[in-house]
Amino acid sequence: DLISMGVFLVLYFPYKVGFNAEEAHNIVKECVDGVLSGEDYNHNINQWTANIVEQSLTHLVKLGKAYTNIVTCAVVQKSAYGFHTASSGFWDTTPDGTCTIRRENQTMKRIVNVFTIAIVL
């Protein structure tokens, strides 16, 4: 029995830890622009938001970092009325983090929030 002999096994976890908000922002910005470039607000909003979230998560996972990623997306028609959102988290800001991507055109506003929580074993 290795434990009773004082030998401990160290698990190698091949992922980097440390949230890079700029990197996440650029990835998600490209996803938003790719899905909505040249589009005007219309009834396709559910498909757009699903595509933005799915593509963003796919690209964030490809970074090879040990994170639980949470992505939210809101697309609203541009109007004279305001659109306000807020979020908050209680975590260790060294490995964990968040970023918000705001984009708009003549007909709509888009806000995507990314939350990453490091997986530490």
Side-chain angles (χ1 to χ4, degrees):
D1 182 16
L2 293 176
I3 301 298
S4 64
M5 293 172 34
V7 177
F8 297 95
L9 300 176
V10 177
L11 296 176
Y12 173 69
F13 202 61
Y15 295 106
K16 303 172 195 168
V17 176
F19 180 69
N20 183 328
E22 183 178 345
E23 183 177 45
H25 185 277
N26 291 336
I27 287 169
V28 175
K29 180 181 162 289
E30 287 181 23
C31 293
V32 171
D33 291 346
V35 171
L36 296 176
S37 179
E39 296 287 349
D40 288 326
Y41 185 86
N42 65 47
H43 67 280
N44 289 327
I45 192 166
N46 288 337
Q47 188 62 48
W48 289 339
T49 56
N51 287 345
I52 289 168
V53 168
E54 182 179 318
Q55 288 180 25
S56 296
L57 284 172
T58 298
H59 290 300
L60 290 168
V61 167
K62 286 180 182 177
L63 292 175
K65 296 186 179 181
Y67 287 126
T68 294
N69 295 292
I70 303 162
V71 177
T72 65
C73 178
V75 177
V76 295
Q77 188 171 13
K78 202 169 188 180
S79 68
Y81 306 105
F83 175 58
H84 305 274
T85 66
S87 64
S88 181
F90 181 74
W91 52 34
D92 181 351
T93 58
T94 302
D96 305 333
T98 184
C99 70
T100 301
I101 298 85
R102 295 174 188 88
R103 309 286 288 161
E104 67 179 79
N105 65 15
Q106 298 296 325
T107 63
M108 63 182 142
K109 294 182 179 187
R110 292 90 72 172
I111 296 180
V112 180
N113 289 303
V114 177
F115 304 93
T116 62
I117 301 138
I119 301 169
V120 181
L121 298 176

